[in-house]
Amino acid sequence: MRVTQGCFSFLPDLTDDQIRRQVQYCLDKGWAVNIEFTDDPHPRNTYWEMWGLPMFDLRDAAGIMKELADCRRVYGDRYIRLSGFDSSHGWESVRISFIVNRPAHEGGFRLDRQEAAGRNIRYSTRAYAAQRPEGERYQS
Amino acid sequence: MKHESITVRGKERYKSGVMEYKRMGYYEPDYEPKDTDVIALFRVTPQDGVDPIEACAAVAGESSTATWTVVWTDRLTAAEKYRAKCYRVDPVPNSPGSYFASIAYDLDLFEPGSIANLSASIIGNVFGFKPLKALRLEDMRLPVAYVKTFQGPATGIVVERERLDKFGRPLLGATVKPKLGLSGRNYGRVVYEALKGGLDFTKDDENINSQPFMHWRERFLYCMEAVNRAQAATGEVKGTYLNVTAATMEDMYERADFARELGSNVVMIDLVIGYTAIQSMAKWARRNDMILHLHRAGHSTYTRQRNHGISFRVIAKWMRLAGVDHIHAGTVVGKLEGDPNTTRGYYDVCREDFNPAKLEHGIFFDQHWASLNKLMPVASGGIHAGQMHQLLDLLGEDVVLQFGGGTIGHPRGIQAGATANRVALEAMILARNEGRDYVHEGPEILAKAALSCTPLREALEVWKDVTFNYESTDSPDFVPTPSLAV
């Protein structure tokens, strides 16, 4: 399966050149670019680990691409996403977010059903990978 | 049209009998509206032979304190404060016999936080007043002091995006079709296919409530199976607007509570349930962390004709105050009424914190929203993947694009239809962000994306010639209406 979170998951994986152009778009808008990674892609796992702080003062796409390359070197077996953060009044949140790195094999999710009263079902979604301890989930 | 005040003052004003509205204090051309006044702009078409100033003063009178004759009991009140004042009358451009009347109302005339009270005054008796041929409420300026008495959208655009973890692109939806007749089990199939294929939301139609072919609990249970399956298959948050519209508030609360119990992140209501019921559901939604989708069922009965009724921009303002999170606001290019400039005005009302007066978009007043949550417009009705560049250009990024037929009617099935729409959207966003002239290069961008996406190629082929090019019945008065070349 392919996790389809983020803005561009239905397109072929972005090349570094395409990623750089999206980073430039964020910088031109005055947004801070943030790099995050995780090995728990649950749809409601909001807080991926941050690769340092959001780069509020870095205004150069090349610098961000270098950070991304460094992050990939360490966590290349995991999901990595880039996001653009807009601190202006009335938004003060993420403006764009997209995946830039995936594990070699995406194991997907198991849907558990617990039969409850009447015909109700309690659902829970579990990433197969998350059964293993953090850090060991996508190692072959 | 500038005139002197002809208000009768003192003892003479209260002599028993009938007096013209314009002489009773409802026409005050020198009045300067206060920052705290509610202002309404009406299009007034008097009966033949009726003085336009008198007609406009009558609208002010009948929508505030007046009755058909002088009453002495006015003297028990601070009557001058409570009288609405028509302070300006202008002929409508290119429309002989019609006049724009600007009328100011003191804030004390209105109950805080109540659309029912506001509308009972402004669109109450006055719309049936015999001396008028027709009357239309075009726009309102709501003072910040009044805006602040409303909850506003239960969730708002920003928090909705945070909850869904979806940023940087329009959301994608589809209304389940056929509108009527599917069983719960079959209905859930459509939901699952559409969500798994790449849509963010599916939607009940306005008249799907609880009928013999599918009672509401069946629908809710199968839909939530579909939503959860699709979430697990994609790793993405999904939702389906469960329509809780019902005959009574008790029924609606019961349905909404069941939706929450099942883990739905959104419920839906129809405009026909009424303003009070809408405000109740908005409070329920805020209490229960639920997105509230509003379908504007019925609005065209009074919004569509230019000479009589209410402009949809006023309904949009009221709904932002009332507290819904989504509102259908037009597509421009689709099958339903929507002039591009007028529609732009509606979208601005939903999404901006400040609307400057812009006559060419039908916005007559500066409107401050005082950080009230933003309302996500929904574009639905006769749109398809081949229009993606136009939709993005005309409607922007904070919008739900709903492709019902344009998903379910795909020759290779619903999943393929959903994937076609999602790929078209992502390709267009990517191109726009890269700085390309996506409006003009749109067809080329789509064709290129279709090279690696067969469903998109098929969608573009099936719907390549579909357009809805008809003259609009509700365009702004201040610019020539551009015809939309598609």
Side-chain angles (χ1 to χ4, degrees):
Chain A
M1 66 87 67
R2 182 177 171 88
V3 167
T4 55
Q5 296 171 22
C7 217
F8 303 121
S9 286
F10 273 74
L11 302 179
D13 286 341
L14 303 190
T15 63
D16 276 6
D17 190 45
Q18 286 176 308
I19 295 168
R20 189 186 46 72
R21 278 183 264 171
Q22 295 299 315
V23 167
Q24 193 59 50
Y25 170 77
C26 295
L27 297 176
D28 291 346
K29 293 271 186 187
W31 303 338
V33 176
N34 194 19
I35 299 175
E36 296 164 289
F37 59 92
T38 192
D39 59 2
D40 177 11
H42 189 282
R44 289 170 72 168
N45 175 19
T46 304
Y47 304 114
W48 293 21
E49 299 302 325
M50 295 198 290
W51 179 259
L53 298 180
M55 291 169 263
F56 294 104
D57 303 311
L58 191 49
R59 310 315 301 166
D60 168 22
I64 288 162
M65 294 307 289
K66 184 188 167 299
E67 290 293 328
L68 174 59
D70 290 348
C71 181
R72 275 178 172 155
R73 246 190 307 281
V74 183
Y75 294 114
D77 60 338
R78 306 186 191 187
Y79 292 94
I80 302 176
R81 71 182 175 198
L82 285 189
S83 55
F85 191 94
D86 176 5
S87 62
S88 60
H89 171 253
W91 199 270
E92 292 150 294
S93 186
V94 177
R95 279 282 189 182
I96 187 172
S97 165
F98 54 100
I99 292 175
V100 291
N101 198 79
R102 295 169 184 273
H105 172 72
E106 297 186 77
F109 302 86
R110 191 175 87 194
L111 183 66
D112 286 334
R113 294 180 184 79
Q114 184 194 356
E115 295 81 357
R119 294 183 52 239
N120 287 13
I121 293 174
R122 304 252 157 245
Y123 297 95
S124 39
T125 307
R126 290 162 209 273
Y128 289 109
Q131 289 168 1
R132 303 173 68 180
E134 193 174 350
E136 298 171 14
R137 289 169 182 166
Y138 288 97
Q139 291 166 356
S140 43
Chain B
M1 293 162 77
K2 194 68 185 164
H3 295 269
E4 301 296 302
S5 170
I6 47 171
T7 302
V8 179
R9 303 193 189 268
K11 194 176 159 194
E12 283 303 300
R13 165 67 178 78
Y14 293 103
K15 230 170 97 181
S16 293
V18 175
M19 183 184 286
E20 287 172 309
Y21 291 91
K22 64 186 176 189
R23 299 176 64 228
M24 285 200 285
Y26 298 106
Y27 177 64
E28 296 288 3
D30 301 325
Y31 181 74
E32 282 194 19
K34 302 193 292 278
D35 285 346
T36 55
D37 284 347
V38 169
I39 305 176
L41 187 107
F42 289 94
R43 178 194 303 259
V44 181
T45 310
Q47 297 277 16
D48 296 339
V50 174
D51 168 29
I53 298 289
E54 173 62 3
C56 295
V59 171
E62 289 293 325
S63 62
S64 61
T65 55
T67 188
W68 60 279
T69 185
V70 171
V71 292
W72 67 267
T73 41
D74 268 356
R75 305 188 81 171
L76 303 174
T77 72
E80 281 174 24
K81 177 182 173 74
Y82 298 137
R83 277 182 202 123
K85 295 157 193 77
C86 176
Y87 63 91
R88 197 173 158 171
V89 176
D90 299 296
V92 176
N94 309 313
S95 185
S98 292
Y99 301 85
F100 284 133
S102 308
I103 299 177
Y105 301 79
D106 192 273
L107 191 52
D108 279 4
L109 293 169
F110 305 105
E111 175 172 342
S114 170
I115 300 293
N117 174 259
L118 178 70
S119 59
S121 281
I122 305 286
I123 57 164
N125 282 347
V126 63
F127 274 71
F129 194 54
K130 277 184 179 169
L132 308 179
K133 249 190 231 164
L135 180 64
R136 190 182 202 222
L137 177 58
E138 288 288 342
D139 199 6
M140 292 188 77
R141 195 284 302 267
L142 304 152
V144 165
Y146 196 51
V147 170
K148 279 291 194 186
T149 66
F150 287 87
Q151 170 194 286
T155 313
I157 291 178
V158 177
V159 173
E160 172 170 352
R161 285 192 175 281
E162 289 182 339
R163 282 189 199 164
L164 300 173
D165 187 35
K166 296 173 193 297
F167 305 96
R169 62 170 173 85
L171 303 177
L172 286 179
T175 310
V176 175
K177 304 283 173 181
K179 276 176 140 173
L180 299 167
L182 292 169
S183 70
R185 189 173 187 273
N186 293 335
Y187 198 92
R189 166 61 73 184
V190 178
V191 172
Y192 172 64
E193 299 289 327
L195 295 179
K196 188 183 175 204
L199 302 192
D200 305 301
F201 287 126
T202 48
K203 171 180 174 295
D204 289 346
D205 228 326
E206 73 282 6
N207 50 357
I208 277 287
N209 301 136
S210 193
Q211 283 111 321
F213 49 81
M214 176 172 60
H215 289 104
W216 66 273
R217 291 178 65 98
E218 286 302 293
R219 182 169 86 257
F220 286 20
L221 285 160
Y222 280 112
C223 281
M224 290 316 295
E225 169 74 16
V227 166
N228 282 286
R229 280 279 290 122
Q231 276 186 179
T234 61
E236 217 184 334
V237 179
K238 302 285 184 180
T240 194
Y241 316 154
L242 295 170
N243 190 350
V244 301
T245 297
T248 66
M249 273 321 290
E250 290 74 17
D251 291 337
M252 287 207 288
Y253 284 136
E254 183 190 359
R255 293 178 194 189
D257 285 338
F258 191 54
R260 182 199 51 190
E261 198 182 306
L262 295 176
S264 183
N265 51 23
V266 52
V267 294
M268 159 182 168
I269 51 175
D270 291 338
L271 183 61
V272 291
I273 68 175
Y275 303 135
T276 298
I278 291 170
Q279 285 197 262
S280 289
M281 288 310 300
K283 290 198 168 166
W284 181 92
R286 174 72 63 87
R287 248 189 342 265
N288 290 284
D289 312 315
M290 197 73 84
I291 297 163
L292 183 61
H293 179 94
L294 178 78
H295 186 113
R296 55 176 175 167
H299 82 96
S300 284
T301 54
Y302 48 86
T303 60
R304 191 173 180 195
Q305 297 303 327
R306 231 202 300 191
N307 67 335
H308 191 83
I310 312 174
S311 163
F312 186 72
R313 78 183 60 87
V314 175
I315 301 296
K317 286 185 175 179
W318 291 355
M319 291 303 104
R320 186 165 175 184
L321 295 176
V324 303
D325 289 312
H326 290 180
I327 188 167
H328 291 243
T331 63
V332 183
V333 294
K335 70 176 179 182
L336 303 176
E337 171 67 32
D339 158 77
N341 289 313
T342 311
T343 304
R344 180 63 200 276
Y346 306 156
Y347 275 66
D348 287 347
V349 162
C350 292
R351 298 189 297 204
E352 302 298 324
D353 193 43
F354 172 66
N355 304 133
K358 205 164 206 177
L359 294 179
E360 63 270 31
H361 292 171
I363 303 288
F364 286 85
F365 304 106
D366 286 358
Q367 175 68 51
H368 289 277
W369 288 100
S371 301
L372 204 69
N373 276 348
K374 299 175 173 76
L375 167 53
M376 184 89 85
V378 177
S380 177
I383 56 177
H384 55 84
Q387 299 163 327
M388 200 58 82
H389 50 297
Q390 296 169 314
L391 291 165
L392 186 61
D393 176 45
L394 291 162
L395 309 178
E397 193 172 285
D398 289 312
V399 59
V400 187
L401 301 176
Q402 299 222 149
F403 303 88
T407 298
I408 298 161
H410 192 283
R412 286 230 280 175
I414 302 167
Q415 272 196 41
T419 303
N421 287 321
R422 179 78 175 262
V423 170
L425 177 66
E426 293 192 357
M428 206 56 67
I429 294 284
L430 188 82
R432 181 198 66 176
N433 295 0
E434 286 179 353
R436 289 183 63 184
D437 179 6
Y438 69 96
V439 182
H440 293 103
E441 298 171 30
E444 195 183 306
I445 292 163
L446 291 173
K448 176 143 184 279
L451 291 178
S452 55
C453 178
T454 310
L456 178 56
R457 194 160 63 239
E458 290 162 335
L460 295 174
E461 181 55 31
V462 174
W463 292 305
K464 64 181 175 209
D465 297 322
V466 179
T467 56
F468 298 90
N469 241 339
Y470 299 95
E471 195 182 334
S472 181
T473 55
D474 183 21
S475 48
D477 295 282
F478 294 90
V479 278
T481 308
S483 78
L484 192 75
V486 180

